[in-house]
Amino acid sequence: MLREKLNDALKEAMRARDMASVGAIRLILAKLKEVDIAARTETSREGVPDDRILSMLQGMIKQRNESVVLYEKGNRPELAEKEKAEIAVIERFLPQQMDEAAMAAAVREAVASAGAKTIKDMGGVMAALKARYAGQMDFAKASATVKKVLAG
């Protein structure tokens, strides 16, 4: 589903002559091909599922956010703007991100359903969150929220 959406978006951007979007979508598709090849086995030649694609897209956004910070520190605003434009294109393919309140509620629910009591139980809570909310939440922030809930 997401794979087709990416290919359709590339065709649409090419028709519209939106070269910034074409470049960003081609980067996404190249990374997706790389992930597909890495996931291949002797018995399975299928591409990765949508949840892995969402995770890959979030990783791409994280990399670009780090680059933006470095470019701004290095006084290269034109490169920072290019990265921000790529982030905007990548975000079009992610589901709506949860706000802080919704994320906190989801964390509390996951902690309760997992029966987590201490920080040692954090791995199970994070696994449940990743399974249920892939692409919808920032797991670095969720991790900090889980720590607060389990510590407090």
Side-chain angles (χ1 to χ4, degrees):
M1 166 81 183
L2 195 50
R3 196 177 300 270
E4 292 86 27
K5 190 175 173 184
L6 286 163
N7 286 317
D8 291 344
L10 177 62
K11 291 173 192 170
E12 189 61 37
M14 290 172 89
R15 280 190 212 104
R17 299 196 192 293
D18 180 359
M19 297 320 286
S21 292
V22 168
I25 295 168
R26 282 184 173 158
L27 284 172
I28 295 169
L29 290 171
K31 179 71 174 173
L32 179 57
K33 188 170 205 151
E34 183 181 306
V35 169
D36 281 343
I37 289 170
R40 283 186 187 162
T41 63
E42 288 294 321
T43 57
S44 175
R45 294 284 183 207
E46 290 183 27
V48 294
D50 279 358
D51 61 333
R52 287 273 308 272
I53 296 173
L54 290 173
S55 176
M56 177 199 77
L57 292 174
Q58 286 178 320
M60 292 177 77
I61 288 174
K62 182 179 178 185
Q63 287 174 332
R64 277 152 186 78
N65 280 326
E66 291 168 357
S67 295
V68 166
V69 170
L70 293 173
Y71 287 142
E72 287 173 347
K73 281 183 183 176
N75 200 22
R76 298 294 306 267
E78 71 284 358
L79 294 175
E81 287 305 313
K82 181 178 181 284
E83 295 290 327
K84 288 177 185 175
E86 286 180 7
I87 290 170
V89 172
I90 296 168
E91 285 177 338
R92 291 189 338 214
F93 302 101
L94 289 173
Q96 183 66 36
Q97 295 291 301
M98 297 174 98
D99 62 6
E100 295 288 326
M103 182 180 65
V107 166
R108 285 192 295 279
E109 177 192 327
V111 167
S113 66
K117 302 285 186 230
T118 66
I119 295 291
K120 290 181 181 177
D121 302 323
M122 188 173 164
V125 174
M126 290 305 295
L129 288 172
K130 286 181 180 178
R132 183 147 185 221
Y133 300 105
Q136 297 177 30
M137 84 171 43
D138 180 345
F139 291 109
K141 290 180 183 174
S143 175
T145 306
V146 170
K147 286 179 185 173
K148 279 186 203 170
V149 169
L150 291 176

